[in-house]
């Protein structure tokens, strides 16, 4: 009869998938290598799958293990929250990796503040930032992502949301561009130069184009790049005009050799929000991290 999966076996499964090695998993769990190897054997019998298979000198997870890993991590998070909900959290002793999905324009300004704020009081915490491959909430549900930071909101009943700050989009140009003079350019002047669009989906149009059309104007988008950071680098070495979050332009403009200025149009502000799954509401460690990130951006843009 197959072994039943208990919480300790699930912890071993999670460590094996994180480290891809019995030795490293044993070290993470403070177990002996033989004990961890025996646990892997029990996992294989209980799940009916090899879990890890030999590939050259290392081990790689099976497709089944990769599919199962996020759900196991989610279950462990729920168990941790249940056990520690009424306990006082010792932040200084916390050892945990949080995976944060984040927009690159936000990451450029938030990552430094978040890492510094957490490292100052919780040196054992690792913040693992991953890019936006998809806005799907399934990553929050299955535990593969702990927090999601970006523009917009989600109306799903099991997803919680917190407003971090509001952001304005500004125009950026090379520091020696004629548009970088003290007098702010008009919309017509902005249309005289080629533009670079930052869009992960490859879009060339946005709210600015609607404003321009209402004024009988049109800009020419000459290049489309996937991120605001790439757009800033391109602007710094060309005559292109770009659009970027104001915080990004303020923090890195001088170092990149670019200038920024407000766009003379009533463009919508961007709401940057923090999202997480409802099951982690009561998790003291995640609650502390959410509060830490919120406090780092307590003042509106």
């Amino acid at each position: 009869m197959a072994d039943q999966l208990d919480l300790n076996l699930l912890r071993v499964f999670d460590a094996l998938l994180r480290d891809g090695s019995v030795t490293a998993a044993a070290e993470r769990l403070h177990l002996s290598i033989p004990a961890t190897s025996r646990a892997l054997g029990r996992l294989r019998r209980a799940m009916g799958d090899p879990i890890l298979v030999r590939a050259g000198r290392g081990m790689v997870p099976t497709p089944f293990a990769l599919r199962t890993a996020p759900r196991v991590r989610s279950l462990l998070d729920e168990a941790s929250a249940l056990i520690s909900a009424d306990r006082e959290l010792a932040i200084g002793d916390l050892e945990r990796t949080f995976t944060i999905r984040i927009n690159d324009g936000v990451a450029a300004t938030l990552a430094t503040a978040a890492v510094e704020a957490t490292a100052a009081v919780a040196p054992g915490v690792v913040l693992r930032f991953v890019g936006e491959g998809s806005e799907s909430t399934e990553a929050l549900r299955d535990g593969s992502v702990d927090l999601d930071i970006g523009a917009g909101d989600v109306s799903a009943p099991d997803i919680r949301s917190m407003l971090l700050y509001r952001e304005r989009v500004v125009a950026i140009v090379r520091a020696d561009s004629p548009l970088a003079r003290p007098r702010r350019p008009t919309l017509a002047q902005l249309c005289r130069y080629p533009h670079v669009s930052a869009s992960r989906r490859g879009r060339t149009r946005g709210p600015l184009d609607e404003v321009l059309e209402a004024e009988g104007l049109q800009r020419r988008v000459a290049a489309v790049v996937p991120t605001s950071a790439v757009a800033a680098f391109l602007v710094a070495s060309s005559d292109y005009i770009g659009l970027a979050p104001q915080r990004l332009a303020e923090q890195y403009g001088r170092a990149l050799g670019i200038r920024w200025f407000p766009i003379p149009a009533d463009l919508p502000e961007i709401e940057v929000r923090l999202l997480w799954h409802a099951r982690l509401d009561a998790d003291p460690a995640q609650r502390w991290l959410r509060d830490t990130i919120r406090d780092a951006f307590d003042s509106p843009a």
Side-chain angles (χ1 to χ4, degrees), residues 160-227:
R160 301 292 185 258
S161 173
M162 175 195 299
L163 177 64
L164 290 180
Y165 61 90
R166 292 181 174 85
E167 179 72 281
R168 288 197 305 166
V169 173
V170 297
I172 55 175
V173 296
R174 195 170 62 189
D176 60 356
S177 167
L179 295 178
R181 292 174 296 188
R183 177 176 293 182
R184 294 178 181 177
T186 64
L187 289 176
Q189 288 174 319
L190 292 181
C191 292
R192 294 174 188 169
Y193 293 81
H195 285 235
V196 54
S197 173
S199 170
R200 186 163 46 84
R201 297 183 180 90
R203 294 173 178 170
T204 59
R205 290 182 56 83
L208 176 59
D209 297 284
E210 297 176 8
V211 172
L212 292 174
E213 285 183 0
E215 297 291 330
L217 299 169
Q218 184 178 4
R219 64 172 179 158
R220 182 173 71 87
V221 175
V224 182
V225 295
T227 70

Side-chain angles (χ1 to χ4, degrees), residues 87-105:
R87 295 182 182 177
E88 184 176 347
L89 181 66
I91 297 297
D93 298 329
L94 183 62
E95 293 189 4
R96 185 162 164 181
T97 297
F98 295 93
T99 300
I100 304 174
R101 184 169 61 190
I102 192 167
N103 171 280
D104 100 288

